[in-house]
Amino acid sequence: TRVAILISGGGSNMVALTRSMLGDPGHPAEPVLVLSNDPAAKGLEHAAALGVPTAAVDHRPFRGDRAAFEAEMAKPIRESGAELICLAGFMRVLTTGFIESWRGRMLNIHPSILPLFTGLHTHARALEAGMAVHGCTVHEVTPELDAGPILGQAVIPVLPDDTPETLAGRLLPVEHQLYPAVLRRFVAGDRRKLAILAAGDAPG
Ligand code: GRF
């Protein structure tokens, strides 16, 4: 399965996905494109270093015309022959039309235990809510933001002195475990949900 990965920034999840595909000759998927809405995204450099074709479509010239921006993005995606899209730190909201055209063929990773904390600032909101656990979710993308069918989740403890930054920092490596494992199952047609319970209880 030919996979296009959409990013907006550092692309650490993209790197994890790409390494998992390139690192295993028997992997059923291959990365054919890394596309960013920000031409300056550091993830584009990481993708190039890994030998994956890259493209950038700056969303700013399109201002509020999402459909026009997506029509521009569709060109490199089509040219790459991608059959599946993985959103990985992609920070633009996609229109229903674009999502419907990729229904069942577009995944996303969200840094919360969905359906809790859809949207932004999930780590701070988990701390504000006094959660004992936090985590991330890989789901199929549907028009409703952060609400599609859940394919896998990973859970970590919240530590007493956690800040949004320390919590995010502990979650990111776990995201890098979850997303590649879910992608592998998804392209293999295995629809069993994946649950990763990260070891280590919070002290006290
Ligand atoms: C991560 O928290 C991820 O869950 C969210 O964007 C953040 C940065 O991801 N989608 P990445 O390092 O750009 O992959």
Side-chain angles (χ1 to χ4, degrees):
T1 303
R2 300 166 63 84
V3 176
I5 307 172
L6 273 48
I7 66 169
S8 294
S12 72
N13 276 286
M14 174 275 297
V15 170
L17 289 169
T18 298
R19 287 206 170 120
S20 74
M21 287 184 269
L22 296 182
D24 171 6
H27 198 296
E30 58 171 319
V32 295
L33 176 68
V34 171
L35 173 60
S36 174
N37 65 290
D38 177 356
K42 278 280 178 246
L44 291 171
E45 295 168 30
H46 300 316
L50 288 165
V52 182
T54 63
V57 176
D58 192 336
H59 67 275
R60 288 167 299 189
F62 298 93
R63 272 180 294 287
D65 190 347
R66 290 184 192 284
F69 165 59
E70 292 169 352
E72 202 57 34
M73 278 203 302
K75 294 175 188 170
I77 293 173
R78 188 171 40 252
E79 282 154 19
S80 75
E83 303 157 280
L84 175 68
I85 292 177
C86 287
L87 305 179
F90 186 69
M91 302 308 278
R92 305 303 298 171
V93 172
L94 296 166
T95 64
T96 296
F98 186 89
I99 291 170
E100 288 298 348
S101 68
W102 287 90
R103 171 77 73 162
R105 302 187 299 150
M106 182 153 58
L107 309 184
N108 180 47
I109 187 162
H110 178 76
S112 81
I113 303 172
L114 290 175
L116 289 173
F117 312 127
T118 58
L120 298 174
H121 312 302
T122 63
H123 314 295
R125 290 159 63 199
L127 291 173
E128 280 157 29
M131 297 288 288
V133 293
H134 185 42
C136 51
T137 302
V138 176
H139 63 94
E140 290 188 38
V141 176
T142 57
E144 187 184 350
L145 186 70
D146 301 330
I150 289 171
L151 298 173
Q153 295 182 306
V155 180
I156 60 172
V158 174
L159 302 183
D161 53 355
D162 260 332
T163 65
E165 291 70 29
T166 61
L167 190 51
R170 235 180 24 262
L171 183 59
L172 204 49
V174 175
E175 295 180 35
H176 300 162
Q177 276 186 273
L178 179 70
Y179 210 170
V182 169
L183 173 64
R184 181 186 285 270
R185 279 192 181 189
F186 188 81
V187 296
D190 179 349
R191 287 293 180 271
R192 286 175 304 159
K193 292 180 193 283
L194 178 60
I196 297 177
L197 310 182
D201 296 330

